[in-house]
Amino acid sequence: MTDRPAALREAHHADVSGGWLRPAVFGAMDGLVTNIALIAGVGGGGVSPRSIVLTGSAGLVAGAISMGLGEYTSVRSANEQVAAEVAKERRELERHPEAEARELADAWVARGLPRDLATQVAEAVRRDPEEALRVHVREELGVDPDDQPSPWAAAISSFLFFSIGALIPLLPYLLGATELGPALAVGGLGLFAAGAVVARFTNRPWWTSGLRQLLLGAAAAAATYLVGSLIGVHGGL
């Protein structure tokens, strides 16, 4: 059976616009690393399991809220910046349509199109003001004005996935564990699994992606464990 060309299939590319996937991945990774490191730090200080649960829970709630608010503000600000640039381009097209058409043709010529063809296409695009605006924004700003990510989708996705990631290393303590080892082990498995899932969207080997994330999280946990141990010993905790 002959493979159907990708160009003839709908949605043969993944969604890379950054609507929910990026904040979901970043939120889950951040939740895992943050709470693993936090639990390792206070655990290294010798505090009680109850105090670790309290600290980890507070870190989960505070981190999830912070991530959600941060994503909402970041995406909304970026969208507002794009909207301002689109408005600026719209004014230029209304005031100087000929110059804008020449600018568009010059951009295509720089990419290898013959001058005559580039000029004809630019003039054809110019006849439809809305299409001209979309084309100019894509060419000059590198964004699609009709396909901007949702601030609410980014915020909710980041909030939920941070919470899930941050909950994973807490589970052993919530289920009755009293030692730090099980929490670190479960957190490490979560890091590896999260990295492996990300590889599905990037077409990289799942095991290298998982191992990379595991090593990064382990480095953060080791650093905070060392700090917690030093403060716990010398601070009399």
Side-chain angles (χ1 to χ4, degrees):
M1 181 178 179
T2 303
D3 288 339
R4 189 182 182 193
L8 300 180
R9 300 196 302 266
E10 293 185 8
H12 62 278
H13 288 296
D15 178 14
V16 295
S17 64
W20 68 270
L21 179 59
R22 182 195 60 80
V25 171
F26 183 65
M29 295 294 193
D30 198 31
L32 276 161
V33 173
T34 297
N35 245 18
I36 289 172
L38 186 60
I39 289 171
V42 295
V47 303
S48 68
R50 179 180 176 83
S51 296
I52 291 177
V53 170
L54 176 61
T55 302
S57 299
L60 186 158
V61 174
I65 293 173
S66 176
M67 287 288 293
L69 293 176
E71 281 292 337
Y72 178 86
T73 302
S74 174
V75 173
R76 178 156 187 171
S77 298
N79 287 354
E80 289 172 349
Q81 183 182 21
V82 169
E85 293 298 319
V86 169
K88 184 190 299 182
E89 189 65 27
R90 186 187 296 274
R91 289 193 297 271
E92 287 298 308
L93 285 168
E94 292 172 351
R95 295 172 182 173
H96 312 290
E98 297 85 0
E100 289 294 313
R102 285 196 300 271
E103 181 184 25
L104 187 59
D106 289 341
W108 287 336
V109 169
R111 295 184 184 181
L113 237 61
R115 168 65 66 178
D116 290 345
L117 179 58
T119 300
Q120 290 175 14
V121 176
E123 287 297 327
V125 169
R126 176 184 159 193
R127 297 190 189 105
D128 184 342
E130 289 304 314
E131 183 61 26
L133 178 63
R134 283 190 289 270
V135 172
H136 277 269
V137 169
R138 290 191 189 104
E139 290 293 327
E140 297 179 29
L141 302 179
V143 298
D144 186 344
D146 298 326
D147 188 25
Q148 295 301 296
S150 164
W152 283 109
I156 293 171
S157 178
S158 181
F159 178 91
L160 290 177
F161 281 87
F162 182 98
S163 300
I164 293 170
L167 179 63
I168 290 174
L170 269 179
L171 285 176
Y173 282 105
L174 294 175
L175 295 175
T178 58
E179 301 293 332
L180 184 59
L184 295 180
V186 171
L189 288 175
L191 285 168
F192 186 87
V197 169
V198 171
R200 184 173 182 272
F201 300 100
T202 61
N203 290 327
R204 295 183 178 274
W206 63 270
W207 59 273
T208 58
S209 181
L211 185 60
R212 177 181 62 188
Q213 195 59 38
L214 175 60
L215 292 175
L216 292 173
T224 55
Y225 181 86
L226 178 61
V227 171
S229 298
L230 292 173
I231 294 176
V233 170
H234 297 293
L237 296 179

